[in-house]
Amino acid sequence: MLTGKSNYIMLVKKVAIDGPESTGKSELAQHLALHFNAGYVDEAARNYLHELGRDYRQSDLLEIATLQCKAEDETSRHHDLLFCDTTLLVIKVWSEFKYGVCDEKILKEYHKRKYDLHILTDIDLPWQSDPLREHPHQRRELFNIYHQELKKSGAIYGIVSGLDEARAESAILLCNQHLTLL
């Protein structure tokens, strides 16, 4: 991607942290960004839903996807390595699971966006209740959907499991194995 008015191309490495609800995506993405002194892209859905003031609808997912992409694009202007707390994969799975379909605009953008590594968070962490979380008893089913989607896409990915430091160390090892840091 071109940066500013310069005549060079900045290569941005991107790591997607994806998985079912309550699997430590946010904490892991923040930990990795700190560890690698990299950019962090926050989950757009959480802030959007907090401020919505009503139950969300399927049409809100397109707005959330747009906000997620804008945050990722903006952060990529300032960092050569990004850790993304969720991606359009999460929004795709969320929409298809809840509504049986995903907006074509989300799907088109989902297929365009590429990541150097996907980290799929396992469901071995205890469920933490949160008003924005909806599927405490369907985590295995959702994990399997994410896993199949990553396989089908041909993406480079790894599954991280374990508690606390073991989970973080597993993710750091994956990053070190699959990324050539500039």
Side-chain angles (χ1 to χ4, degrees):
M1 88 181 203
L2 292 176
T3 58
K5 295 182 180 181
S6 64
N7 292 324
Y8 68 93
I9 295 175
M10 181 175 167
L11 298 175
V12 178
K13 300 263 183 202
K14 296 191 301 184
V15 179
I17 315 294
D18 293 314
E21 301 169 311
S22 193
T23 57
K25 294 182 298 292
S26 298
E27 185 176 324
L28 184 60
Q30 290 170 13
H31 182 87
L32 292 170
L34 284 172
H35 178 84
F36 288 102
N37 193 28
Y40 167 73
V41 181
D42 198 11
E43 177 187 14
R46 187 157 284 280
N47 290 334
Y48 181 89
L49 294 173
H50 273 300
E51 296 174 8
L52 191 57
R54 61 169 169 76
D55 289 342
Y56 73 90
R57 301 178 196 104
Q58 184 180 8
S59 60
D60 290 312
L61 299 182
L62 180 57
E63 180 62 24
I64 292 167
T66 300
L67 292 169
Q68 191 71 43
C69 291
K70 283 181 182 178
E72 188 177 303
D73 293 344
E74 177 60 28
T75 306
S76 71
R77 290 185 184 100
H78 306 286
H79 299 276
D80 60 358
L81 176 61
L82 300 182
F83 288 92
C84 303
D85 175 7
T86 75
T87 64
L88 295 187
L89 172 59
V90 171
I91 297 170
K92 176 187 182 302
V93 170
W94 178 12
S95 185
E96 291 173 347
F97 192 79
K98 183 167 177 104
Y99 299 105
V101 66
C102 185
D103 186 292
E104 285 298 320
K105 292 176 187 172
I106 294 172
L107 291 174
K108 183 177 179 182
E109 188 65 26
Y110 164 71
H111 290 294
K112 281 180 22 184
R113 290 191 174 259
K114 302 299 177 202
Y115 300 87
D116 297 281
L117 175 64
H118 287 262
I119 296 176
L120 177 58
T121 51
D122 202 350
I123 62 167
D124 56 341
L125 294 181
W127 174 266
Q128 292 185 5
S129 185
D130 179 319
L132 298 178
R133 294 181 178 152
E134 301 176 307
H135 305 291
H137 305 295
Q138 295 166 301
R139 292 169 75 198
R140 174 58 57 200
E141 181 181 359
L142 285 161
F143 176 85
N144 290 338
I145 291 169
Y146 284 105
H147 196 194
Q148 289 305 312
E149 187 66 36
L150 287 169
K151 279 188 198 178
K152 183 172 73 175
S153 74
I156 296 171
Y157 74 95
I159 299 169
V160 296
S161 56
L163 301 176
D164 302 323
E165 206 53 41
R167 193 179 202 87
E169 289 301 319
S170 176
I172 290 168
L173 181 62
L174 271 173
C175 291
N176 285 333
Q177 289 173 340
H178 294 286
L179 299 176
T180 303
L181 303 178
L182 300 175

